[in-house]
Amino acid sequence: MTFDRAFLERPALEVAPHLLGAVLRHTTDAGTVAVRITEVEAYVGQGLDPGSHAFRGKTKRNASMFGEPGHLYCYFTYGMHVCANIVCSPEGEASGCLVRAGEVIEGIDLARQRRTTSKSDRDLAQGPARLVVALGISLTDDGSDLFAPPFSLERPAASVDYLTGPRTGLAGGADLPWRFWIPGEASVSPYKKHPKA
């Protein structure tokens, strides 16, 4: 069962726990990879969350965050990695959930081909940069609709137990417990505190 777009028209903090256990699927010419989401981080809107790319307002880089919910906001970070967020809230309000980690449940051979430095299957999508590589997501997918091919986002069959804690690697808003993860999942990424936090 897929998410209803209206379900995502809520602040990221409300949506985030419901994304745990959801399946994000991406099809390319090379094939399909699907990931069961095990970890997300919520980022809220303009002027509210110093950790959010939308904190200082709309720019060319973050424009997708201000768009219709249910789209991807992809961005380039550290000069080498792409990360992907699921846009939440009504259009214009800018909140989203960073997809931090997941378990590859479909297309594992293709994910292995893409993640040549992976030491085991559990870390194929362990961390936001690894996850987008495994799924074949690139910066050109920024703004893509998750309710239309080549993407899909399926709701979990049932809600899952989860834990919360501070978001990883942030200086601003570092103490906010807006990271959500499924306990005991091997794919969940390790927490890293920013040196300035």
Side-chain angles (χ1 to χ4, degrees), residues 139-194:
L139 197 57
T140 60
D141 291 307
D142 180 45
S144 293
D145 190 353
L146 294 174
F147 291 90
F151 290 97
S152 68
L153 181 63
E154 299 173 7
R155 294 183 73 160
S159 59
V160 299
D161 292 331
Y162 63 89
L163 297 175
T164 65
R167 295 172 294 185
T168 294
L170 290 184
D175 295 331
L176 297 169
W178 292 354
R179 177 175 166 247
F180 302 78
W181 70 94
I182 302 174
E185 287 285 342
S187 60
V188 172
S189 61
Y191 171 72
K192 293 180 181 178
K193 187 175 182 178
H194 193 285

Side-chain angles (χ1 to χ4, degrees), residues 107-117 121 124:
I108 195 162
D109 288 337
L110 178 54
R112 289 170 181 153
Q113 290 172 29
R114 290 170 171 164
R115 286 274 297 115
T116 55
T117 58
D121 289 347
L124 286 170

Side-chain angles (χ1 to χ4, degrees), residues 23-47:
V23 175
L24 177 58
R25 181 176 283 103
H26 183 214
T27 300
T28 66
D29 291 342
T32 298
V33 174
V35 165
R36 176 178 167 264
I37 298 171
T38 58
E39 180 186 5
V40 297
E41 287 180 347
Y43 291 86
V44 301
Q46 182 176 344

